Amino acid sequence: MSYYSMLGLSTFNIENGFLEALARSFRDALLTRADYQNLMQCERLDDLKLHLSSTDYGNFLADVPGALKTSMLEKRAWDKLVGEFEHMRLQAVQPLAQFMEYIRYQYMIDNVVFLITGTLHGKDAETLLSKCHPLGKFDSMATLTVATTAAELYDYVLVETPLAGYFVNASLQEGDLDEMNIEIIRSTLYKAYLEDFYKFVCSLGGVTASVMKEILEFEADRRSINITINSFGTELSVDDKKKLYPSFGQLYPEGIDKLLKAEDLDMVRAAVDFYTPLDQFFDDVDGIGGDSLEDKFIAHEVHLHKESFNQQYHLGVFYSFLKLKEQEIRNLLWIAECIAQNQRDQMTKFVPMW
Amino acid sequence: MGSLFRSEEMHLIEMVVQAEAAHATVEELGRTGVVQFVDLNPELNAFQRSYVNDVKRCDELERKLRFFKEQVEKAGLPIAPKTEAGAAATEASSLVQGARRGRRYGGAGAGMAAPADAGGANLDDLEEHFVELEAGLVQLNANQEILDSAANELTELQCLLAQTSVFFDDAGAAGDVFVSQTSALDANGPSASSPLLGTGGRLGESAPGAGTASSRAVQLGYVSGLLEQTKMARFERLLWRATRGNHILRQCTEAVELSDPASGEPVSKIAFIVFFQGARLRTKITKMCESYGANLYETPDTASARQQLLVEVEARMDDLELTLDSAAEQRERVLSVIAASLEDWLDIVNREQRIYHALNLWKSDVSSRALVARAWAPVWGDSQIEAALARGVARSGASVQSFFEVKVTSSPPPTYFVTNKYTAGFQALMDAYGMARYQEANAGVFTIITFPFLFAVMFGDLGHGALLTMFAAILVAYEGRIARIPGRPEMFNMLFNGRYLILAMGVFAMYAGLLYNDCFGFSIDFFGSNWSRPSDGDAHLIDPDRVYPFGVDPGWAGATNKLQFYNSFKMKTAIIYGVTQMLFGVVLSLTNHLYYGNYIDVWTRFIPEVLFLGGMFGYMVILIIYKWVTVIPDPPLILTVMIDMFLKAGSVPAKDEMYSGQGAVQIILVFVLLVAIPWLLLPKPIILWMRKKAAARRAGHSHGGATEALLAPAADGTEPEGDGHGHDMGEIVIHQIIHTIEYVLGTVSNTASYLRLWALSLAHAELSEVILDQVLFRGLKAGSAPLIFAAFTVWALATVGILMIMESLSAFLHALRLHWVEFLSKFGASDGWKFEPFNLDAPVAAE
């Protein structure tokens, strides 16, 4: 049964028209190329504040006492974005509401991993909690700091969250939480999450499915490649690795098999050689081009999200709006950091959107 | 000052001011409110401008003021209204005043005194003062928070102590069971856990031997504290999962209401106590409590120890309350000082910020220490500007005199109408559609009469008009008092701003109601009806030579053909009003052509337009009036006369005959109409094209400069600000075609559009009559008091709801449309831009 496939065009607006208009208006409020140009000319962070006040960000920094810090900028920007997202989420009806819940899950996973890592390093629970991603906050989050083993983690906290299902399927090996385990937990959770989300958007059908499938498949491929590259030189067995790769996407299954066997970048390159656009990302990556590869991934992701706005009557715009905004905040932070640390020559290295 | 008919004559002036005098000059100019600065640095970003730091400083001051305001509001102190002196006096004097006041009251506020340097008071002093105040407030708040949280802790402990006794008793009762269940699990109790059921204990030092009945030393630990009520259920579930059910959680049924010391939000907390076993569980549970933000307190497990602690807590509580009171008093003192002058400060900072924003539009002269500013100003404002410049120099003590000169520019000047509180509403109505082009005929002037008139034609009813007038009269009478009410609702504000408009509409509606002889749906016999309607015979005129002196004879009321009569009358008057207004609009276009010197437009636009409109509907109006005033046996329908005039041009069928010579007149008219269309369409593009060619030839002969040749004809083109680029021949032709089609079709459709006057007027009259007949009269006929009362209520509500509110809104909108579209399109270009002078005394819109 597909929700929006048959009558999508005629019935979409009944339930989601207003929210889609909101999402599109938020997208229109993204900083323009001219804005970025202006921002880059700023001498100090206060100038940044002044310029941002003439954009959609408005007076979001007006009540900050004293000199502006980048952390404050990030916090306020996220607060604003989360406010917009929650504003829409709280008005959404099914299946959009569920769709937007799904978007939040990934931030929850991030928070879970962040809190466990932080606790492991003996950081104060209070500070850790304040640094958690606002979009992925859930009620029993604070208790995460109590857990010391993966099983406890599940029993105490996650069983009550929507992430519980991902944990059960992940069939984690017993053992204490250490760096490696946490990374694996993150990857398994993320894999389970992506697969679930993928299944969900497929069940929605219509334009939503076609747009979101492309985005999620790319996300899956990107994760597979990243896991492969990051696992070079670790003692992760092929079988273990296999559990971390999402079971969909362009690369699945043949490409994944090749990736499993890859031991250096060239083999990864060979593995993705038959898949556009993935092969292009490796075109001029020489040796250890991890950074620039990541940049290319992000640029392509931004491209996909922009494309998503070119289609009408689908839920993908809500995901794309958030992701574009998120990238914009990252760009802003990059510029702000460059200004703060006086690294003006590095400043252009953000991912432009328009 | 000029008239409202043409907007004020404006010119662009350039001022040169010594840098030192700039601030004072801007302030003086802002007080006169006759200049609108032009941005001389459009290429610069907001943060690259010269006075950006001052703007930022004002932002910071505003932030501080917002903080003060928040604090004052939180404390529930009234904020003193803006003092007259603060609003009117100069910055310096009001500041001194503010500072003095600050000092006077601040003397009590322990080191919060304002800087005393009254002579050099300026923004710097204010800033310094604010910084001190803010630091003091933050300090006080921090202290308050510490005190509050201490007080909260004591309250919590107090409540915990008072309520835990139940838990301990419970545990004692359940102890036997509990112990027998858990004893197997309990090996040897770690020292950390306190022996609840044994004798004595870690905290129960005062009461050895006060333990419960059980003699077996089961080591049960417990943790007690308070948790927010909303988190309780989740906490309970977590505990259960973490201990696998091996715990006892007791919570109290009553919640304690506290306020969060940091945010001041109210929270309700519940006291709880968890009994458990084993040291590992203790750390785990403690951690969980912490992660849930529960405050843990150690409670003695004996009643007497608890009692003792309770007494102690109460004593400490009393001490703390004293401290709290004095802290609150101190805080209130400081805040009341702030509250007294907060509005004045806001005003000063606001003014300063606007001054600096204006200064950011200025350009600094590179060569000298002077600033250059350009501004639009009405010509009559020169002397004021001169005086303001002089005052600015005098106040700042600059050595060089400022001066200004008039600049010649090609950009169109702004449109500036000087209105008063009566005309402002009408002008705003027309400006809402489009700002009139600089110095073109202003529709706003005529709107003052025509708008209420057309409204009244639709809304004509003596009673309803009187109600409307009364409503507006109240608004007008109490305008001073109403204007001072802060935070008026938006809808009401709209009505309030249009109070004079509504007043005029009401008065005109009464007038139209008299003409229609309509008052709440019935007619009034003012002068004695000319009709006699005996009950046993036909109605007949009493005196055939007498005419009812004013309005419609009340004899028509109740006549069977009343509707036909009103229909014909209102339809015809609607057409007459419409054609008159449109013809007047076309005449106004003539005044525009003459004023701008576009003589070509007089010949190629105005004359064919007048001929077309006059020849078709002007003739119809004449026929209507002729038919009214002449006795024609078996009069023809005017509609058929008009149709036959075109379809059977040249011959007049016998049934259409109204006067002799009709055929000749009509054939001439049809000929004129047919000529007017190509006349409107063709000559103007041809003339322009020929001029252009001639100019090109001339230019080619003299310089051979192609660019100049292209530019030349634009000088006398139709657009007053001819820039030469848009005057492509094709564009002119297309423009003319569009205009012709629009005008020719518009003549018919616009005239038809005026029929809405008839339709709405009829609807209004019918509706009020129906409501009167069906509700009020029926109720009256029924004769019983409650029924009459009910009928009157329904009638009154319907009159206000349907006729006064809905009908007046619709009549208003239709009148508005007739002015915007049918009237304005005949002459207005409406492509001007509004003159918005820099005025420091005008209220600022909240950003």
Side-chain angles (χ1 to χ4, degrees):
Chain A
M1 188 201 80
S2 59
Y3 190 80
Y4 287 127
S5 52
M6 287 305 290
L7 288 167
L9 295 183
S10 51
T11 57
F12 182 86
N13 278 348
I14 298 172
E15 287 175 345
N16 306 320
F18 170 63
L19 294 178
E20 193 199 359
L22 265 184
R24 283 180 188 275
S25 72
F26 286 139
R27 203 260 339 217
D28 281 348
L30 286 175
L31 298 179
T32 61
R33 190 171 284 275
D35 285 328
Y36 280 116
Q37 289 294 339
N38 280 329
L39 289 178
M40 284 196 290
Q41 289 173 26
C42 291
E43 297 286 336
R44 281 166 305 153
L45 285 182
D46 282 344
D47 295 343
L48 207 69
K49 173 168 150 186
L50 198 67
H51 183 82
L52 283 176
S53 67
S54 66
T55 67
D56 189 54
Y57 282 98
N59 285 329
F60 77 126
L61 292 170
D63 280 325
V64 181
L68 186 63
K69 290 199 192 75
T70 48
S71 57
M72 190 47 111
L73 180 77
E74 180 180 18
K75 189 178 171 308
R76 291 289 172 115
W78 266 110
D79 283 351
K80 184 170 180 295
L81 173 52
V82 170
E84 290 167 355
F85 185 81
E86 290 293 288
H87 175 70
M88 294 195 288
R89 191 174 69 84
L90 295 176
Q91 296 181 65
V93 292
Q94 297 296 0
L96 176 58
Q98 184 58 41
F99 181 83
M100 294 182 93
E101 271 294 321
Y102 266 109
I103 298 176
R104 285 182 65 214
Y105 292 169
Q106 51 181 291
Y107 296 97
M108 286 191 194
I109 296 176
D110 286 346
N111 277 351
V112 168
V113 174
F114 173 76
L115 279 175
I116 303 171
T117 328
T119 320
L120 209 63
H121 291 161
K123 293 216 181 88
D124 177 32
E126 211 45 31
T127 34
L128 280 177
L129 282 176
S130 67
K131 279 183 184 165
C132 272
H133 199 289
L135 210 52
K137 283 206 168 124
F138 51 94
D139 286 337
S140 45
M141 208 163 70
T143 328
L144 277 171
T145 48
V146 182
T148 46
T149 64
E152 277 185 352
L153 191 67
Y154 177 77
D155 285 345
Y156 292 0
V157 190
L158 295 178
V159 70
E160 273 195 326
T161 66
L163 302 182
Y166 306 148
F167 235 77
V168 174
N169 295 339
S171 67
L172 290 166
Q173 65 255 60
E174 283 297 308
D176 282 352
L177 294 171
D178 57 30
E179 289 282 335
M180 192 66 184
N181 261 342
I182 291 171
E183 250 335 286
I184 290 172
I185 288 177
R186 180 212 289 275
S187 293
T188 28
L189 279 181
Y190 217 92
K191 164 194 148 82
Y193 158 70
L194 274 181
E195 283 166 0
D196 192 28
F197 196 10
Y198 188 75
K199 214 162 72 196
F200 175 71
V201 296
C202 288
S203 77
L204 291 179
V207 189
T208 307
S210 66
V211 170
M212 284 306 295
K213 264 158 108 175
E214 196 181 353
I215 292 172
L216 291 179
E217 277 171 9
F218 173 70
E219 186 63 30
D221 293 340
R222 177 176 152 185
R223 287 199 71 80
S224 303
I225 294 171
N226 277 341
I227 290 171
T228 313
I229 295 175
N230 291 338
S231 68
F232 291 158
T234 59
E235 56 224 61
L236 219 54
S237 72
V238 172
D239 277 346
D240 284 346
K241 262 204 277 184
K242 199 168 181 178
K243 282 190 208 150
L244 305 179
Y245 291 125
S247 62
F248 67 97
Q250 268 193 310
L251 292 173
Y252 184 77
E254 289 89 355
I256 298 284
D257 286 342
K258 287 187 194 163
L259 277 182
L260 277 172
K261 289 170 200 136
E263 274 157 15
D264 56 35
L265 204 61
D266 282 328
M267 289 176 76
V268 175
R269 189 189 318 229
V272 302
D273 203 20
F274 303 106
Y275 305 94
T276 40
L278 297 176
D279 57 337
Q280 292 160 17
F281 298 134
F282 288 90
D283 272 355
D284 45 357
V285 177
D286 298 315
I288 30 153
D291 264 345
S292 70
L293 186 67
E294 194 55 32
D295 284 349
K296 282 178 191 172
F297 280 145
I298 293 175
H300 186 69
E301 193 193 342
V302 167
H303 169 74
L304 284 179
H305 288 307
K306 273 156 61 184
E307 292 277 286
S308 140
F309 276 95
N310 292 343
Q311 298 258 19
Q312 269 282 14
Y313 307 125
H314 67 104
L315 305 183
V317 288
F318 296 95
Y319 188 58
S320 298
F321 141 72
L322 185 75
K323 286 288 163 185
L324 285 177
K325 267 294 212 202
E326 187 180 3
Q327 186 56 41
E328 179 176 286
I329 293 176
R330 266 187 236 132
N331 289 348
L332 262 184
L333 272 186
W334 176 260
I335 293 175
E337 285 292 349
C338 285
I339 293 171
Q341 297 171 18
N342 220 352
Q343 304 263 327
R344 313 204 121 257
D345 44 332
Q346 297 283 314
M347 208 186 254
T348 51
K349 277 194 177 172
F350 60 86
V351 181
M353 303 225 193
W354 309 114
Chain B
M1 297 198 189
S3 70
L4 200 52
F5 182 53
R6 305 247 174 234
S7 66
E8 303 300 325
E9 204 179 321
M10 308 294 286
H11 55 195
L12 186 68
I13 58 170
E14 186 170 283
M15 289 168 273
V16 181
V17 177
Q18 197 189 340
E20 284 76 14
H23 184 273
T25 308
V26 169
E27 198 182 353
E28 289 297 336
L29 284 172
R31 204 160 288 146
T32 58
V34 290
V35 291
Q36 178 177 11
F37 292 111
V38 178
D39 191 356
L40 291 179
N41 318 302
E43 75 287 353
L44 289 185
N45 280 329
F47 51 85
Q48 288 167 333
R49 292 170 185 253
S50 7
Y51 288 88
V52 64
N53 284 330
D54 299 280
V55 172
K56 271 191 216 159
R57 211 169 66 164
C58 290
D59 274 342
E60 176 64 18
L61 289 180
E62 272 189 335
R63 185 195 65 72
K64 286 198 172 81
L65 285 173
R66 274 200 302 275
F67 171 70
F68 293 161
K69 196 168 183 178
E70 191 185 302
Q71 294 294 327
V72 170
E73 274 166 2
K74 221 193 225 172
L77 292 172
I79 295 175
K82 210 190 288 186
T83 53
E84 285 304 313
T90 62
E91 166 220 335
S93 65
S94 73
L95 226 158
V96 171
Q97 201 181 26
R100 274 204 207 113
R101 197 184 304 121
R103 194 151 59 116
R104 198 162 354 117
Y105 297 104
M112 292 287 160
D117 183 12
N122 56 22
L123 211 56
D124 294 327
D125 290 347
L126 206 56
E127 193 172 12
E128 207 176 304
H129 186 41
F130 284 3
V131 168
E132 262 177 54
L133 275 178
E134 194 192 18
L137 260 185
V138 167
Q139 180 67 38
L140 281 177
N141 281 349
N143 288 344
Q144 187 81 26
E145 208 180 310
I146 294 170
L147 287 173
D148 276 347
S149 50
N152 271 358
E153 265 172 38
L154 284 179
T155 324
E156 286 179 4
L157 185 53
Q158 199 177 10
C159 145
L160 192 65
L161 287 171
Q163 291 175 341
T164 37
S165 53
V166 190
F167 302 153
F168 283 100
D169 295 347
D170 258 16
D176 292 332
V177 190
F178 187 68
V179 169
S180 60
Q181 276 176 348
T182 52
S183 56
L185 296 166
D186 181 40
N188 28 33
S191 58
S193 57
S194 45
L196 166 66
L197 305 173
T199 53
R202 202 154 58 92
L203 294 157
E205 57 274 295
S206 64
T212 46
S214 174
S215 57
R216 292 171 62 182
V218 175
Q219 300 280 331
L220 271 193
Y222 65 90
V223 168
S224 57
L226 283 98
L227 182 64
E228 275 168 49
Q229 195 168 19
T230 48
K231 291 181 178 170
M232 208 60 207
R234 267 184 284 126
F235 179 64
E236 203 175 341
R237 279 206 302 278
L238 173 72
L239 265 182
W240 198 87
R241 284 200 306 270
T243 61
R244 298 182 192 277
N246 286 323
H247 72 279
I248 296 180
L249 172 73
R250 298 284 155 173
Q251 42 182 307
C252 134
T253 42
E254 261 172 80
V256 210
E257 302 297 331
L258 295 165
S259 73
D260 186 48
S263 62
E265 298 287 321
V267 281
S268 54
K269 291 190 166 181
I270 285 193
F272 69 90
I273 184 161
V274 193
F275 300 100
F276 52 83
Q277 197 178 28
R280 265 191 75 183
L281 268 185
R282 170 178 286 275
T283 39
K284 213 178 236 177
I285 289 176
T286 316
K287 239 176 155 181
M288 278 180 215
C289 291
E290 274 164 11
S291 76
Y292 267 82
N295 291 333
L296 298 182
Y297 301 95
E298 288 185 342
T299 342
D301 58 352
T302 61
S304 56
R306 283 199 299 273
Q307 196 55 45
Q308 197 182 355
L309 191 56
L310 199 58
V311 173
E312 240 173 75
V313 166
E314 264 159 19
R316 262 156 65 197
M317 194 77 176
D318 287 343
D319 289 348
L320 195 63
E321 246 155 43
L322 277 178
T323 331
L324 263 175
D325 281 349
S326 74
E329 202 182 314
Q330 193 186 4
R331 190 154 168 271
E332 194 159 315
R333 244 184 351 246
V334 173
L335 284 177
S336 65
V337 173
I338 293 174
S341 36
L342 189 64
E343 285 293 322
D344 286 345
W345 288 342
L346 262 176
D347 197 47
I348 293 168
V349 172
N350 230 318
R351 282 170 81 96
E352 286 298 314
Q353 191 163 28
R354 286 165 74 194
I355 290 172
Y356 286 120
H357 271 302
L359 276 172
N360 269 336
L361 304 178
W362 290 31
K363 197 168 201 147
S364 59
D365 199 334
V366 188
S367 57
S368 62
R369 297 176 35 74
L371 290 175
V372 181
R374 279 191 189 192
W376 287 103
V379 172
W380 49 259
D382 282 359
S383 57
Q384 290 185 46
I385 295 168
E386 207 163 351
L389 288 178
R391 279 200 303 274
V393 171
R395 262 184 50 195
S396 61
S399 51
V400 186
Q401 282 299 315
S402 313
F403 63 91
F404 77 95
E405 56 185 6
V406 177
K407 284 276 167 194
V408 180
T409 171
S410 63
S411 53
T415 311
Y416 181 30
F417 295 115
V418 180
T419 54
N420 54 33
K421 65 180 175 184
Y422 187 81
T423 55
F426 297 93
Q427 189 62 49
L429 216 55
M430 295 317 282
D431 290 351
Y433 184 68
M435 205 60 210
R437 181 180 285 181
Y438 176 61
Q439 295 218 313
E440 83 177 352
N442 176 21
V445 187
F446 308 104
T447 315
I448 295 171
I449 297 300
T450 56
F451 186 86
F453 180 72
L454 288 191
F455 170 84
V457 168
M458 291 179 271
F459 196 72
D461 187 302
L462 184 61
H464 299 151
L467 288 180
L468 200 61
T469 314
M470 262 149 53
F471 171 68
I474 291 169
L475 288 185
V476 170
Y478 293 102
E479 62 180 7
R481 216 179 293 175
I482 295 172
R484 279 195 297 274
I485 300 174
R488 282 164 286 161
E490 200 182 350
M491 283 291 273
F492 176 77
N493 249 353
M494 262 157 69
L495 289 176
F496 182 63
N497 291 336
R499 58 192 182 278
Y500 288 102
L501 188 76
I502 298 173
L503 185 67
M505 280 162 27
V507 171
F508 274 77
M510 284 166 70
Y511 169 69
L514 282 174
L515 285 180
Y516 294 156
N517 208 337
D518 234 348
C519 180
F520 293 120
F522 51 85
S523 302
I524 302 172
D525 195 351
F526 286 107
F527 306 102
S529 172
N530 215 19
W531 287 92
S532 158
R533 249 190 313 183
S535 51
D536 52 345
D538 284 346
H540 59 86
L541 281 172
I542 294 166
D543 175 5
D545 292 332
R546 179 171 172 262
V547 176
Y548 192 75
F550 183 82
V552 175
D553 191 311
W556 284 102
T560 43
N561 59 344
K562 177 190 177 187
L563 197 58
Q564 282 100 311
F565 168 72
Y566 269 103
N567 253 345
S568 152
F569 165 68
K570 285 181 174 174
M571 190 185 344
K572 284 169 179 168
T573 45
I575 294 294
I576 295 172
Y577 296 147
V579 173
T580 314
Q581 194 180 26
M582 288 191 295
L583 264 178
F584 181 59
V586 177
V587 172
L588 283 181
S589 80
L590 172 68
T591 68
N592 274 347
H593 299 325
L594 293 177
Y595 188 83
Y596 290 129
N598 292 329
Y599 297 108
I600 178 176
D601 278 351
V602 176
W603 295 108
T604 62
R605 258 170 108 155
F606 169 68
I607 291 184
E609 281 177 5
V610 163
L611 288 179
F612 192 78
L613 182 60
M616 197 184 304
F617 291 107
Y619 177 61
M620 188 166 154
V621 167
I622 290 170
L623 285 186
I624 289 171
I625 295 171
Y626 178 79
K627 192 176 154 186
W628 271 344
V629 298
T630 339
V631 180
I632 307 168
D634 190 19
L637 277 174
I638 288 175
L639 192 65
T640 42
V641 175
M642 288 303 290
I643 292 171
D644 287 345
M645 169 172 143
F646 293 101
L647 293 186
K648 299 173 184 158
S651 66
V652 180
K655 66 177 169 63
D656 291 349
E657 181 87 26
M658 290 182 84
Y659 57 94
S660 56
Q662 194 177 350
V665 172
Q666 287 186 356
I667 193 84
I668 293 169
L669 282 177
V670 171
F671 176 73
V672 167
L673 290 176
L674 288 180
V675 168
I677 296 172
W679 187 352
L680 191 57
L681 179 64
L682 297 174
K684 191 179 167 189
I686 293 173
I687 293 171
L688 285 183
W689 179 68
M690 277 165 46
R691 280 193 190 173
K692 192 170 157 181
K693 255 179 81 172
R697 208 179 307 125
R698 261 203 316 277
H701 281 306
S702 50
H703 334 273
T707 44
E708 281 238 0
L710 281 171
L711 289 170
D716 46 46
T718 46
E719 315 297 323
E721 78 282 32
D723 54 359
H725 295 293
H727 285 258
D728 210 21
M729 211 48 225
E731 204 172 298
I732 293 174
V733 171
I734 288 171
H735 188 249
Q736 197 63 23
I737 291 174
I738 290 173
H739 177 76
T740 308
I741 294 175
E742 196 185 326
Y743 188 82
V744 170
L745 294 183
T747 303
V748 180
S749 67
N750 290 354
T751 308
S753 186
Y754 275 96
L755 288 176
R756 72 186 69 226
L757 293 175
W758 157 54
L760 265 101
S761 159
L762 203 71
H764 185 86
E766 285 300 304
L767 211 54
S768 51
E769 204 179 309
V770 164
I771 293 172
L772 189 74
D773 282 349
Q774 298 299 319
V775 180
L776 189 59
F777 286 174
R778 275 189 180 212
L780 287 176
K781 267 177 210 146
S784 80
L787 266 181
I788 294 177
F789 178 77
F792 178 80
T793 315
V794 173
W795 174 77
L797 287 179
T799 300
V800 172
I802 300 174
L803 294 169
M804 293 299 300
I805 297 177
M806 280 167 58
E807 277 281 300
S808 70
L809 263 179
S810 88
F812 179 92
L813 287 179
H814 283 287
L816 194 61
R817 183 226 142 91
L818 288 177
H819 279 87
W820 277 357
V821 181
E822 274 73 25
F823 178 50
L824 199 57
S825 70
K826 297 290 175 291
F827 63 96
S830 301
D831 56 356
W833 58 288
K834 193 175 176 158
F835 177 66
E836 282 163 332
F838 174 65
N839 190 346
L840 281 177
D841 294 332
V844 256
E847 276 174 49

